[in-house]
Amino acid sequence: MEKIFREENIPIELTRLPFVESSFNLNAYSHVGASGIWQFMRSTGRLYKLKVDSIKDLRNDPLEATRAAAKLLHFNYKLLGSWALALTAYNHGPGGVSKIVKELKTNDINEIVWNTTRRRFGFASENFYAEFLAALEVESHAEKYFGKIQVSPPLVYDEIQLPRAMIRITE
């Protein structure tokens, strides 16, 4: 994930966003239909080339979804000009955050959180950036919070291109 974010010129710290979105649960599925570790909605997934059909759902592929998340975060950053707002837009939507920025005439996340009504912004959006910062703090200082941690080695894998689709049917 960090390699993908480096390739896209996105701060690698943002690869910790799935702690907030899904706790890195590959099978996470929200009540509103978001899926995978990055919690992409169908429509957003499709915008970022994540195929979603009755056979394949690339929102659940951690590498493909990470590529899409990097592109979405990059888009949000270019539109809004700060990583705090880009992350907030990841939850609330770039159009919604952009509208609030224009109405309040500020791009300061603190001003936005304190001066936007909860009814309009919502609890999740209001707290999203703070939750990310908390997750980043805990991950960055895990031993302080949990004591000695045994870290699993990185997965070693090869990617291969199959000549045709392979479907396994089990009974």
Side-chain angles (χ1 to χ4, degrees), residues 85-100:
L85 293 177
L87 283 165
T88 303
Y90 193 92
N91 178 266
H92 190 70
V97 173
S98 183
K99 188 174 180 181
I100 291 168

Side-chain angles (χ1 to χ4, degrees), residues 9-30:
N9 294 316
I10 307 295
I12 62 167
E13 293 82 4
L14 300 187
T15 61
R16 282 40 172 198
L17 184 57
F19 279 122
V20 176
E21 286 289 351
S22 65
S23 296
F24 284 90
N25 178 350
L26 296 174
N27 300 311
Y29 196 82
S30 79

Side-chain angles (χ1 to χ4, degrees), residues 54-79:
S54 61
I55 296 174
K56 185 190 282 187
D57 188 344
L58 288 180
R59 297 176 301 164
N60 299 322
D61 180 309
L63 296 179
E64 291 298 321
T66 296
R67 285 183 187 93
K71 290 180 186 329
L72 173 54
L73 286 164
H74 189 253
F75 172 82
N76 288 351
Y77 179 76
K78 283 174 57 178
L79 177 70

Side-chain angles (χ1 to χ4, degrees), residues 20 84 87-88 109-110 113 124-137:
V20 176
L87 283 165
T88 303
I109 189 66
N110 291 318
V113 168
S125 295
E126 179 179 88
N127 291 289
F128 196 74
Y129 185 61
E131 289 175 9
F132 168 75
L133 291 177
L136 186 60
E137 165 67 19

